Amino acid sequence: MSSTSSHGGAAPYYFVPGPSRWPLLAGLSMLVTMIGASAWVNDASWGPAANLIGILGTITVLYFWFGDAIKESEGGLYSQRIDHSYRWSMSWFIFSEVMFFGAFFGALFYARTISMPWLGDLDHKFIWPDYAPHWGGATPAGTVEEFRTMGPFPIPTINTALLLTSGVTLTIAHHALRAGHRAQTALWLFATIVLGAVFMGFQAYEYHHAYTELNLKLTSGIYGSTFFMLTGFHGFHVTMGAIMLSVVLYRVLKGHFTPDNHFAFEGAAWYWHFVDVVWLGLYVVVYWL
Amino acid sequence: MSTTTLDHGHDHDHAHDHAHDHPHGPARWLFATNHKDIGTLYLWFSFIMLLSGGVLALMIRTELFKPGLQFFQPEFFNQLTTMHGLVMVFGAIMPAFVGFANWMIPLQIGASDMAFARMNNFSFWLLPPAAILLATSFLAPGGATAAGWTLYAPLSTQMGPGMDMAIFAMHLMGASSIMGSINIIVTILNMRAPGMTLMKMPMFCWTWLITAYLLIAVMPVLAGAITMTLTDRHFGTSFFNAAAGGDPVMYQHIFWFFGHPEVYIMILPAFGIVSQILPAFARKQLFGYASMVYATASIAILSFIVWAHHMFTTGMPVTSQLFFMYATMLIAVPTGVKVFNWIATMWRGSMTFETPMLFAVGFIFVFTIGGFTGLILAVTPIDIQLQDTYYVVAHFHYVLVAGSLFALFAGFYYWSPKWTGHMYNETMGKTHFWLSLITFNVTFFPMHFLGLAGMPRRYADYSAQFTDFNMVATIGAFGFGLSQVFFLFFVILPTIRGGKKAEAKPWEGAEGLEWTVPSPAPFHTFETPPEFK
Amino acid sequence: ADTATGTYNAATGGTGGPVAGELTLQPPATQIATEVYSLHNWMMGVCLVIFIAVFGVMFYSIFKHRKSLGHKPATFHESTAVEVAWTIVPFLIVIGMALPATRTVVGMKDTSNADITIKVTGMQWKWGYDYLKGEGEGISFLSNLSTPRAQVGAPGFEPTEKRGDNYLMEVDNEVVVPVHRKIRLITTANDVIHSWSIPAFAVKQDAIPGFVRDTWFKAEHTGIFRGYCSELCGKEHAFMPIVVRVVSDADYKVWVDGKKKEMAALADDPTKTWTIDELKTKGEKVYSTNCVACHQANGRGMPATYPALDGSPVVTGPKAEQINVLLHGKKSGKYPVEMPSWKQLSDTDIAAVITYTRNSWTNKAEENIVQPAEVVAARK
Ligand code: HEA
Ligand code: HEA
Ligand code: CUA
Ligand SMILES: [Cu+2]
């Protein structure tokens, strides 16, 4: 391992890891994942298997990769400056996620406030004589099966409460960690993860309800497209956040982190709060408006 | 930047100090965590992609040598055009700049490496998989995607599996860019040597800092757009299908919200390289450093509000057309500031014209032509006349080939002594420059006339009236292609294999920390940060 | 060349299409095009002046301030005054460029008070025209490339016919409009985005599926004007040109009368019973203008993209299904593309092409003839 010149046991000025096989393996796993995905969406029989192998491969590689990083961190190789690097990187990563959601929020905005009235205006009577623009109503060609829209009550509101509460419990856990109360940290962290899981449970129930009772599907025109893609990507991010928090919980239980050095915790927490904020956006523009 | 002094205490020991952990064999490259090695990987990858994309371009030019369908069916021709665009943009130009960033940013700011060495390698190792997906998509049923590099819906929904492979390849390249950018930003913000304030930082680092910001802001948006395309294709969503309430033009808005900043992503680092080279060979400080920084930032910010100049013919409301026209034209102002500052840097300098300087000056000259045609396209009524004609093709090859690519060449000649430890052969370098400059113009200048006369782009066949200029362009293209083969065999390879030993600072007027380390730069540099005054 | 018709040629020297060796925009034939033409000249002029000024300075410096001439470097490296100056001056220049353009933008968008309104539909790979309002109302036709494939050639096969002057910019049915009349075009598309453009009119308007957009022109000259589909729309993108014939009011009347009669004749046809040979001969023409692009002249289609009609169960089986496919298109999901609907074709054309496909190549369908009346019945 080619660490930089060490200064009598203290962390090096900036620790640079030596050669590592993980990035290459992760790249190859992603190749398998993507080939599998391309085959899958085109109904090739081997697609799902290849895709799954790729994803499992990626997860395995990441497991070992993060394992290395955790070892280095716990081994005292990370200086304050590295901690700063992690902070910066997590912030910029979250910014990129914001922009990703931005694309879908933008699509919802555009489709609803620009395309929809446009499709319903006088000129478009040439093409869609019977179309009456109404968000969540019939589509221009009228080919989409009738469906009902999803309102804010009760599930989305409960979910809002759940996520907001989870933000609070997470903050309590953080305070506990800073005060050095490890058991409390674990407890509140656990509570946060449970709240996230319950959220996902409700979300799954909501989808089921949409499909079976409202006839609201991914194929329900632009309403269904934006509804499911926005809430779906959000749900995916909640899952990711919950996994991050679980890893952090595991590390807390293993005795990692100190009251002033626990970036992994904070990074996961930032991510969780970000997911929270996205939900508030969804709650307003998808369910209320 | 004023003077560069170095705390020489550390400098001598690390060259031998770490000889023992210098990895060897294939593992050195496969498992690399060293920014220089990863930079080299990026550079080779992008050069190979340049040749591949170039071969596709030559196939396009061969078919277009004269009217009629000589060599390729139109559907294959469209695949060539699409793949040429994708390969050049995402495979050649962008990774080449990342390669430069990897090599030079740590050396320029006095950092020991990139902030996240393993993630750095991961960013790289996502690119070959993406390239494999793109290349093999030619073999998919129905062939590669033929919807143009812009992948407009709903044409993109009509494509075969090759389209999905392209979408997934772009996801990978996007992830690579985002991670690479995070790495670059963090390195610059967090790892500068003591004393190097942001406003003392070399221009190349500044332009990359801003570019990385643009990348993080827009790559996810592209990912969103192509994900919607994917779900429209396979999962029954209707983002871009009017019959179910979607809108094909919405795709264009999302795409160009990415696409326009993307073109500045491909030019800002080029501005940075040129801003390093001109002062070195004029032996005079960069004129107006601060205003250069502000101009770069202004270009970046403006780039977010001009996207719909690619969409004037979609029929937007008149107010939108006017807004986007004005906003686009404004970009000429900060870009002009850059050009004027460069010329003021040269003014009353003491210039010599080694190859890097030739390419840098050539860049300014030819890029400005491309900038002017851009400005002409920004005028809505003229754009409506010229949109989707060869005038646009001429415009963007002037800014991309004579802009981005020439700056990359300039940077290669300037920094290759540091990379390889050898001086390239000056005669060969100059020959490469003059060949490239002349054949470039022979290829692309006539395209302006074709476009003005009305020849549409993405056409596999054309009316006989366009024949003469197309023949000239094709001949020029082969000349330009051969010039790059010349570059490979008479410049790159000989310089790697041998040649005059390069001194630590081969250029009399060059400044910056990168010249304080030996040539070739040792495997580890600046493990303890230098003192920068 | 036979492009030189009408007063446009006499007044401008233009041909209505591109001219070999032309270095600038085609000569304008509308007020808007004239404005665009002079805008372009104005922009070129200003850019040229800036270019010469900027690079004059640069080359002066390159020639004088060389080390080899013993020039010593100056030490200046900033000046707020010049930075401000070269920010403000270009800003003013840009305003000078944008202002005259603004008027033209507004003018281009003003589609009110049109004399004639025509709906233009882009299709893979031809144009459909419906005269909606004004003189000629009710006229409707499809417009296909009329350059024979034998002039194009194919990879490995030299063209067998000599190319004409209007290679790839001639069509079977031209759009005909009267001179000095404001024509409003409403564009839309059936499948993907196309773009309707005539350079001499400075008109280019995307045709977007499911949406309508509009634009307008008012030709100042009679003559024939040629343009191309200007948005990538699939493989035959280069083969769907646009031709507009601008005629005097009197000639326009004549054309409208003729066209109406022609359409009436077509509409009458369905009652007539055709012989199989008549249908096959007519069908072959319909096939080669409309179907070859996808199903190919040999009826074998293209693997994984377009199905073969040669041997297809739809073509050899019961005819009702084939009539249905022709009228409503087909999207089975087996191919990346869909079979468009051909309901704009006349009943006779549809009957003819079906009959043709049922008796061509190796096909010997049992139900080997379809009469126009059957298509009429199926349309209901
Ligand atoms: C490196 C890439 C790059 C760069 C830097 C630019 C720079 C610019 N581009 Fe370009 N552009 C592309 C890459 C790039 N472009 C690509 C790839 C496409 C096509 C995409 C596709 O459809 O496939 C495109 C297309 C494109 C269009 C759409 C054309 C169409 O499809 O109809 C337009 C329209 O406004 C445009 C405008 C501009 C402008 C105004 C600039 C400005 O930034 C230029 C500014 C520079 C100058 C003006 C010169 C220097 C200035 C001075 C010397 C100061 C004094 C000058 C004055 C006051 C006039 N570009
Ligand atoms: C980003 C950079 C970039 C670069 C560098 C280039 C480089 C070139 N481009 Fe490219 N081009 C684009 C970006 C770029 N292009 C984009 C974005 C499009 C739009 C695509 C679309 O419409 O969707 C486009 C479209 C485009 C078209 C229009 C196609 C159409 O509309 O149908 C044409 C036509 O002439 C063209 C030509 C060329 C040529 C001749 C070069 C030359 O510079 C290439 C020089 C050649 C080489 C460098 C190859 C050298 C190699 C050999 C000679 C073989 C040696 C082999 C071995 C060593 C094994 N390009
Ligand atoms: Cu229709 Cu291009
Ligand atoms: Cu742009």
Side-chain angles (χ1 to χ4, degrees):
Chain A
M1 197 139 292
S2 93
S3 69
T4 48
S5 41
S6 57
H7 298 282
Y13 180 79
Y14 199 97
F15 171 77
V16 178
S20 163
R21 62 190 70 233
W22 309 129
L24 173 68
L25 292 177
L28 289 177
S29 311
M30 288 308 287
L31 175 62
V32 177
T33 309
M34 290 313 195
I35 291 179
S38 311
W40 192 352
V41 295
N42 287 293
D43 303 318
S45 55
W46 51 274
N51 183 253
L52 198 69
I53 293 173
I55 291 175
L56 289 179
T58 313
I59 292 174
T60 315
V61 173
L62 289 186
Y63 175 81
F64 286 109
W65 182 341
F66 289 166
D68 277 2
I70 291 171
K71 252 181 262 152
E72 288 155 11
S73 170
E74 293 299 311
L77 290 169
Y78 285 4
S79 59
Q80 196 59 37
R81 197 167 283 271
I82 291 213
D83 195 59
H84 280 300
S85 286
Y86 276 116
R87 277 163 206 282
W88 275 119
S89 68
M90 195 66 195
S91 327
W92 284 97
F93 171 63
I94 290 176
F95 173 54
S96 81
E97 292 272 42
V98 169
M99 294 308 291
F100 180 75
F101 275 99
F104 288 90
F105 276 109
L108 171 60
F109 169 80
Y110 188 90
R112 185 168 176 176
T113 56
I114 298 177
S115 307
M116 190 180 69
W118 210 339
L119 280 167
D121 75 6
L122 216 55
D123 280 344
H124 286 77
K125 292 289 170 239
F126 282 123
I127 314 185
W128 314 114
D130 309 320
Y131 179 53
H134 167 58
W135 190 242
T139 51
T143 44
V144 168
E145 275 178 50
E146 215 173 298
F147 61 89
R148 278 180 294 145
T149 59
M150 186 71 75
F153 298 110
I155 297 175
T157 307
I158 299 177
N159 268 348
T160 309
L162 285 172
L163 274 195
L164 287 179
T165 317
S166 77
V168 176
T169 52
L170 187 57
T171 309
I172 300 179
H174 191 200
H175 281 290
L177 181 58
R178 277 213 299 233
H181 305 314
R182 196 165 284 276
Q184 272 191 29
T185 311
L187 185 69
W188 287 108
L189 203 48
F190 182 69
T192 311
I193 298 168
V194 170
L195 285 169
V198 176
F199 173 94
M200 285 309 292
F202 272 116
Q203 178 97 342
Y205 175 78
E206 184 194 70
Y207 277 15
H208 180 75
H209 170 67
Y211 264 77
T212 54
E213 283 156 54
L214 303 181
N215 200 29
L216 170 60
K217 302 180 174 158
L218 189 56
T219 49
S220 299
I222 187 69
Y223 183 91
S225 308
T226 48
F227 176 82
F228 283 105
M229 292 295 275
L230 272 165
T231 54
F233 270 117
H234 176 263
F236 175 69
H237 281 75
V238 173
T239 313
M240 296 298 293
I243 293 174
M244 287 184 200
L245 290 178
S246 308
V247 173
V248 169
L249 175 60
Y250 171 77
R251 290 184 61 189
V252 168
L253 293 174
K254 276 191 70 172
H256 291 182
F257 305 132
T258 64
D260 3 79
N261 194 353
H262 48 259
F263 171 72
F265 183 105
E266 292 179 279
W270 292 350
Y271 194 78
W272 193 257
H273 290 312
F274 149 73
V275 173
D276 222 359
V277 171
V278 171
W279 175 260
L280 291 181
L282 286 181
Y283 185 58
V284 175
V285 304
V286 174
Y287 294 102
W288 272 102
L289 295 179
Chain B
M1 277 187 358
S2 45
T3 44
T4 316
T5 37
L6 192 63
D7 177 357
H8 276 283
H10 308 286
D11 217 32
H12 302 298
D13 35 78
H14 42 67
H16 45 241
D17 208 38
H18 283 284
H20 58 277
D21 63 14
H22 184 316
H24 291 283
R28 169 174 178 193
W29 303 105
L30 296 178
F31 306 150
T33 45
N34 180 287
H35 71 102
K36 304 181 184 78
D37 283 356
I38 296 175
T40 305
L41 286 171
Y42 264 108
L43 290 172
W44 274 113
F45 174 82
S46 60
F47 193 71
I48 292 166
M49 293 309 268
L50 176 72
L51 293 185
S52 323
V55 170
L56 298 176
L58 294 183
M59 289 164 81
I60 295 175
R61 288 306 336 158
T62 309
E63 176 60 50
L64 293 181
F65 182 70
K66 58 180 194 177
L69 294 175
Q70 275 76 231
F71 299 95
F72 310 117
Q73 294 290 357
E75 56 271 32
F76 184 65
F77 179 91
N78 291 347
Q79 297 176 25
L80 290 176
T81 299
T82 306
M83 286 313 218
H84 163 67
L86 288 176
V87 165
M88 285 300 196
V89 169
F90 294 102
I93 303 293
M94 291 171 66
F97 282 123
V98 182
F100 272 75
N102 257 296
W103 252 102
M104 299 321 299
I105 288 177
L107 285 179
Q108 287 195 322
I109 63 173
S112 56
D113 205 299
M114 296 293 281
F116 303 101
R118 278 180 296 234
M119 184 169 84
N120 197 15
N121 198 28
F122 186 37
S123 303
F124 174 75
W125 281 113
L126 284 177
L127 293 179
I132 291 171
L133 275 169
L134 282 182
T136 50
S137 75
F138 273 112
L139 309 175
T145 167
W149 83 281
T150 48
L151 306 177
Y152 275 11
L155 186 59
S156 56
T157 30
Q158 285 191 350
M159 299 287 139
M163 179 77 208
D164 303 307
M165 298 172 78
I167 288 178
F168 288 124
M170 284 164 80
H171 276 126
L172 292 181
M173 294 186 286
S176 160
S177 286
I178 291 171
M179 286 189 287
S181 304
I182 291 179
N183 227 327
I184 288 169
I185 294 190
V186 173
T187 307
I188 293 178
L189 291 182
N190 195 32
M191 295 174 71
R192 275 168 289 123
M196 181 171 292
T197 58
L198 281 176
M199 288 312 271
K200 282 188 191 160
M201 198 163 69
M203 268 316 282
F204 180 65
C205 299
W206 254 116
T207 52
W208 242 118
L209 179 64
I210 292 169
T211 303
Y213 158 73
L214 284 179
L215 274 167
I216 297 179
V218 301
M219 289 312 289
V221 177
L222 172 69
I226 57 180
T227 304
M228 291 180 216
T229 305
L230 185 78
T231 58
D232 267 17
R233 284 168 57 76
H234 296 291
F235 302 110
T237 59
S238 24
F239 287 104
F240 310 130
N241 174 8
D247 187 344
V249 175
M250 180 166 87
Y251 174 84
Q252 301 183 19
H253 280 290
I254 306 175
F255 179 86
W256 288 115
F257 183 84
F258 146 82
H260 188 81
E262 165 71 14
V263 308
Y264 293 116
I265 287 165
M266 291 188 283
I267 204 67
L268 293 184
F271 289 171
I273 293 175
V274 169
S275 303
Q276 302 285 155
I277 292 174
L278 287 177
F281 294 91
R283 292 166 183 74
K284 182 164 158 282
Q285 243 189 75
L286 182 66
F287 189 84
Y289 174 88
S291 74
M292 285 294 234
V293 172
Y294 300 139
T296 312
S298 315
I299 294 175
I301 289 164
L302 283 174
S303 77
F304 285 111
I305 55 162
V306 301
W307 75 89
H309 64 219
H310 297 271
M311 302 167 56
F312 286 140
T313 60
T314 58
M316 289 180 288
V318 67
T319 40
S320 316
Q321 293 199 333
L322 289 175
F323 171 80
F324 285 109
M325 169 170 87
Y326 298 147
T328 305
M329 295 185 78
L330 267 188
I331 297 192
V333 175
T335 316
V337 168
K338 306 216 69 148
V339 171
F340 301 141
N341 276 314
W342 286 327
I343 289 173
T345 306
M346 294 161 72
W347 186 251
R348 292 182 51 211
S350 170
M351 282 188 274
T352 50
F353 293 90
E354 289 88 341
T355 316
M357 183 66 164
L358 284 180
F359 267 109
V361 173
F363 165 93
I364 301 180
F365 188 70
V366 199
F367 167 79
T368 303
I369 299 180
F372 283 144
T373 56
L375 200 65
I376 289 174
L377 286 170
V379 179
T380 311
I382 306 182
D383 179 73
I384 288 178
Q385 187 69 289
L386 296 174
Q387 132 99 143
D388 256 308
T389 66
Y390 264 77
Y391 194 87
V392 178
V393 176
H395 157 64
F396 67 73
H397 284 92
Y398 265 80
V399 281
L400 279 170
V401 180
S404 313
L405 191 59
F406 276 20
L408 287 163
F409 288 150
F412 170 86
Y413 286 102
Y414 184 54
W415 281 311
S416 61
K418 187 61 55 193
W419 302 342
T420 63
H422 303 291
M423 296 306 288
Y424 62 87
N425 179 315
E426 198 58 63
T427 320
M428 293 300 167
K430 287 191 167 131
T431 313
H432 175 221
F433 169 73
W434 287 109
L435 282 177
S436 296
L437 184 74
I438 292 166
T439 54
F440 167 79
N441 281 290
V442 173
T443 313
F444 294 104
F445 205 75
M447 292 188 189
H448 292 113
F449 304 134
L450 288 172
L452 287 167
M455 176 167 162
R457 63 192 278 209
R458 297 165 169 172
Y459 260 31
D461 192 6
Y462 52 83
S463 300
Q465 285 81 351
F466 301 123
T467 312
D468 299 342
F469 287 132
N470 269 299
M471 287 187 167
V472 176
T474 299
I475 292 166
F478 275 89
F480 189 79
L482 286 178
S483 317
Q484 307 327 315
V485 176
F486 173 88
F487 176 51
L488 174 63
F489 287 108
F490 293 91
V491 180
I492 303 183
L493 294 178
T495 311
I496 294 174
R497 296 213 186 100
K500 206 171 109 234
K501 286 279 313 143
E503 296 157 31
K505 180 168 160 239
W507 313 116
E508 187 189 6
E511 292 209 11
L513 289 179
E514 72 260 41
W515 307 114
T516 61
V517 301
S519 300
F523 198 68
H524 292 292
T525 38
F526 301 129
E527 285 174 282
T528 20
E531 201 66 46
F532 181 82
K533 293 198 199 88
Chain C
D2 59 351
T3 43
T5 46
T7 59
Y8 174 69
N9 176 256
T12 66
T15 62
V19 177
E22 180 64 72
L23 301 183
T24 183
L25 295 170
Q26 291 179 21
T30 61
Q31 175 62 34
I32 292 283
T34 312
E35 287 176 28
V36 172
Y37 194 91
S38 42
L39 267 177
H40 178 252
N41 282 346
W42 159 242
M43 293 288 296
M44 280 300 287
V46 178
C47 289
L48 214 63
V49 170
I50 302 176
F51 193 81
I52 291 169
V54 171
F55 289 101
V57 174
M58 188 178 93
F59 280 107
Y60 178 86
S61 173
I62 286 177
F63 288 116
K64 295 287 179 186
H65 306 153
R66 285 170 173 262
K67 192 181 179 196
S68 54
L69 299 179
H71 197 275
K72 292 272 167 309
T75 53
F76 63 85
H77 61 87
E78 61 190 348
S79 156
T80 312
V82 302
E83 299 287 354
V84 170
W86 66 41
T87 307
I88 290 183
V89 172
F91 183 69
L92 295 177
I93 298 177
V94 164
I95 292 179
M97 291 168 155
L99 280 187
T102 304
R103 212 178 29 135
T104 310
V105 176
V106 176
M108 284 177 126
K109 290 300 267 184
D110 177 15
T111 54
S112 59
N113 299 323
D115 299 307
I116 296 177
T117 303
I118 305 175
K119 179 171 143 214
V120 180
T121 309
M123 301 169 219
Q124 282 171 324
W125 288 277
K126 63 185 154 306
W127 293 95
Y129 297 95
D130 297 277
Y131 286 59
L132 293 183
K133 252 198 247 143
E135 199 181 350
E137 187 175 325
I139 293 178
S140 144
F141 53 86
L142 289 176
S143 174
N144 278 286
L145 174 73
S146 62
T147 304
R149 293 276 149 172
Q151 291 186 12
V152 180
F157 298 96
E158 284 292 306
T160 51
E161 214 176 276
K162 199 177 159 314
R163 293 193 181 113
D165 284 333
N166 296 317
Y167 177 68
L168 297 190
M169 42 180 184
E170 52 199 347
V171 297
D172 52 2
N173 283 310
E174 295 160 356
V175 186
V176 178
V177 295
V179 69
H180 300 310
R181 292 280 177 270
K182 185 162 181 176
I183 314 294
R184 175 175 180 231
L185 299 173
I186 299 185
T187 65
T188 184
N190 279 356
D191 30 50
V192 300
I193 304 178
H194 303 263
S195 190
W196 195 93
S197 94
I198 295 283
F201 296 167
V203 168
K204 184 176 289 145
Q205 176 57 57
D206 290 0
I208 299 157
F211 280 83
V212 300
R213 295 288 200 272
D214 66 351
T215 182
W216 69 279
F217 67 86
K218 185 180 187 179
E220 306 291 342
H221 299 283
T222 57
I224 296 183
F225 300 90
R226 297 170 198 279
Y228 304 96
C229 175
S230 303
E231 182 62 61
L232 179 59
C233 53
K235 67 191 188 70
E236 307 287 296
H237 168 50
F239 304 96
M240 51 180 294
I242 296 141
V243 181
V244 177
R245 185 147 51 91
V246 180
V247 296
S248 66
D249 276 345
D251 288 349
Y252 182 65
K253 262 198 188 63
V254 174
W255 177 78
V256 168
D257 286 347
K259 201 75 190 171
K260 289 231 159 121
K261 285 214 189 74
E262 202 180 295
M263 287 181 55
L266 279 177
D268 282 342
D269 267 349
T271 52
K272 175 182 158 194
T273 308
W274 296 58
T275 69
I276 189 160
D277 287 327
E278 280 172 340
L279 282 173
K280 269 163 57 184
T281 325
K282 190 171 174 56
E284 181 165 11
K285 282 210 202 79
V286 178
Y287 188 83
S288 62
T289 33
N290 295 300
C291 322
V292 275
C294 298
H295 297 290
Q296 306 297 312
N298 59 14
R300 297 223 192 97
M302 290 206 314
T305 324
Y306 306 108
L309 299 187
D310 191 5
S312 151
V314 176
V315 182
T316 50
K319 56 190 172 187
E321 174 56 16
Q322 194 178 357
I323 300 177
N324 185 39
V325 169
L326 269 274
L327 285 177
H328 304 294
K330 179 173 179 185
K331 186 170 172 58
S332 65
K334 274 187 281 183
Y335 302 92
V337 203
E338 56 189 279
M339 163 77 180
S341 145
W342 294 92
K343 54 175 180 276
Q344 314 89 339
L345 290 180
S346 73
D347 304 309
T348 322
D349 283 350
I350 294 182
V353 75
I354 294 180
T355 308
Y356 170 73
T357 56
R358 290 183 162 250
N359 295 285
S360 301
W361 317 299
T362 62
N363 288 350
K364 286 188 192 61
E366 224 158 89
E367 301 181 356
N368 66 353
I369 180 164
V370 172
Q371 291 293 348
E374 297 173 64
V375 180
V376 178
R379 273 193 205 262
K380 303 265 157 65

